[in-house]
Amino acid sequence: MVVLNKIYTRTGDAGTTALGDGSRAAKHSARVASYGNVDELNSTLGMARLYATAETDEALARIQNDLFDVGADLCRPDMEKDAEAEYTPLRVIASQVDRLEAEIDAMTKVLEPLRSFILPGGTELAAHLHLCRTVCRRAERGATELAQIEAVNPDAIKYLNRLSDWFFVAGRMANNGGKDDVLWVPGANR
């Protein structure tokens, strides 16, 4: 259980922060940046939820919770020491990725196939979901960059990859089932 009885601690005033295992890292490190990107994504998702229908909001709430799981996973280095931890570290698992895939498949079944790339926009919800998609891609890039220098749970990266696809398809759904997608017209303004 998390207990936050004091918000400021002054322990980060010198430019470091505590990681999930208690070790400290520079606030600009690849690891801190990776879960910071996930936190930013979660905030953009909170904005999208302002425009969501009840069903979509329920899915977005699940994703927001999952994003805290992703952040918790990314903030804990050295997966090989998980067994030695005083409590079992939270890691993203394959079933979370599988759920996203099943939801993407269900949404895709009701959408017409795309014949053009689409521009981010349409309804307020669709525009916010496209913003979530691009921030998610940045979070994924940060996690894969981290994975080049430190161990990262592959399921956390898969989750972010699948989630950006989820946002794309959900954005189409928010555009009247894709009927109001804003289509790219190559060279239209030449």
Side-chain angles (χ1 to χ4, degrees), residues 114-126:
L114 279 173
R115 306 269 185 249
S116 173
F117 288 107
I118 63 172
L119 302 176
T123 66
E124 288 175 318
L125 176 58

Side-chain angles (χ1 to χ4, degrees), residues 33-43 67-68 70-71 74 139 160:
S34 72
Y35 65 81
N37 288 335
V38 172
D39 187 35
E40 182 182 357
L41 170 59
N42 211 335
S43 295
L67 287 173
F68 259 77
V70 174
L74 291 172
L160 291 171

